[in-house]
Amino acid sequence: MVLTIGSLEITSTRSAWVRHRSFTACRPVRRDSHSASTSSPEAKHQQMSKAQAKAAAVVAEARKLPELVVFDLDYTLWPFWCEMYTTRDEPKLFPEARGVLEALKQKGVSMALASRTPTPDVARAFLKKLDLASGVFISQQLIPASNGFDHNSAQKDLRHFPAIQKETGIPYNKMLFYDDEDRNVHRVSKLGVTSVPDKVPVCNGQLYMCKALVKPQIAVSS
């Protein structure tokens, strides 16, 4: 089975994935790689500023903002699976992700993480390298499945979101959730959390993530 995410196609088995026209500029850079980045710091700053401005404009349209926005990590904020890399690699976010996060932060919207990555140590290392380890997410629930990949243990509606709710005190009906896996979206939506499915990728250049605040019909709610 092949799963298509934006312009990326991958096999359903994580250990045997295939990339086609993949997000080359967004994938982690191997530490032993000799390839240099083609984007200057000025270009990256300009890109982030434009994304933040677009996100801020969309957020400004919302009549009522959620108290908390919860993000998955793999293929939601960044275009890869953590377990495919090591703590020595250099990660990159989706092109517009940081601008979206900054726009939400400036509006006073709290943010949290809910990930079932089988390598939480890599995820934490990547968050630190991206300057997202502290001061951005008020709760970071990186809880792997018991054997890393099974679909039964450490479900987000049973483990991650109860932990987030307990830590933040924010009720489920005041949360917004983004995840690239439909099963997570539908399970969490039953808690009363407005959840955005894979058909609405977070940072694909169209900022559907923020538009869900304005047009909730594109989201799944209880």
Side-chain angles (χ1 to χ4, degrees):
M1 176 181 177
V2 176
L3 175 67
T4 301
I5 302 175
S7 59
L8 179 69
E9 291 184 0
I10 56 177
T11 61
S12 59
T13 303
R14 291 192 173 188
S15 60
W17 63 340
V18 180
R19 297 186 181 94
H20 297 287
R21 294 192 304 149
S22 60
F23 296 93
T24 304
C26 305
R27 279 181 281 157
V29 177
R30 296 292 188 188
R31 190 172 181 179
D32 57 358
S33 173
H34 297 289
S35 60
S37 173
T38 56
S39 299
S40 66
E42 292 78 10
K44 291 179 180 178
H45 177 74
Q46 185 178 27
Q47 182 184 45
M48 196 276 282
S49 297
K50 289 181 178 180
Q52 184 175 338
K54 289 168 64 179
V58 174
V59 170
E61 297 179 28
R63 295 180 180 179
K64 186 177 181 181
L65 293 169
E67 289 188 22
L68 179 69
V69 177
V70 183
F71 296 97
D72 173 45
L73 284 176
D74 296 353
Y75 285 100
T76 300
L77 286 184
W78 51 46
F80 52 82
W81 285 309
C82 289
E83 63 265 30
M84 295 296 181
Y85 300 93
T86 73
T87 56
R88 299 175 68 249
D89 295 318
E90 297 298 325
K92 294 183 180 180
L93 296 170
F94 273 110
E96 298 195 354
R98 194 175 296 277
V100 170
L101 296 176
E102 288 295 328
L104 291 173
K105 184 177 180 179
Q106 287 190 4
K107 292 294 289 187
V109 178
S110 297
M111 293 173 282
L113 296 175
S115 173
R116 297 178 74 245
T117 175
T119 54
D121 57 326
V122 176
R124 292 189 184 95
F126 281 6
L127 288 168
K128 185 175 182 179
K129 290 183 179 185
L130 292 165
D131 294 324
L132 297 175
S134 62
V136 179
F137 304 105
I138 62 174
S139 180
Q140 297 184 28
Q141 302 302 321
L142 311 182
I143 307 173
S146 60
N147 69 357
F149 298 102
D150 75 82
H151 298 314
N152 298 314
S153 62
Q155 292 296 328
K156 294 187 178 182
D157 58 327
L158 300 177
R159 295 287 304 279
H160 300 70
F161 273 81
I164 290 172
Q165 200 282 323
K166 182 178 180 180
E167 185 173 358
T168 66
I170 297 174
Y172 291 133
N173 62 2
K174 296 186 182 297
M175 297 181 186
L176 192 61
F177 173 49
Y178 299 95
D179 196 298
D180 67 301
E181 296 187 24
D182 284 349
R183 65 175 178 272
N184 292 331
V185 165
H186 287 284
R187 289 181 68 109
V188 171
S189 69
K190 294 179 181 179
L191 296 175
V193 178
T194 299
S195 306
V196 183
D198 183 37
K199 283 74 178 176
V200 192
V202 174
C203 303
N204 68 345
Q206 299 301 316
L207 295 174
Y208 286 120
M209 186 278 293
C210 286
K211 290 184 179 179
L213 301 173
V214 184
K215 300 178 180 180
Q217 66 268 25
I218 69 175
V220 175
S221 57
S222 60

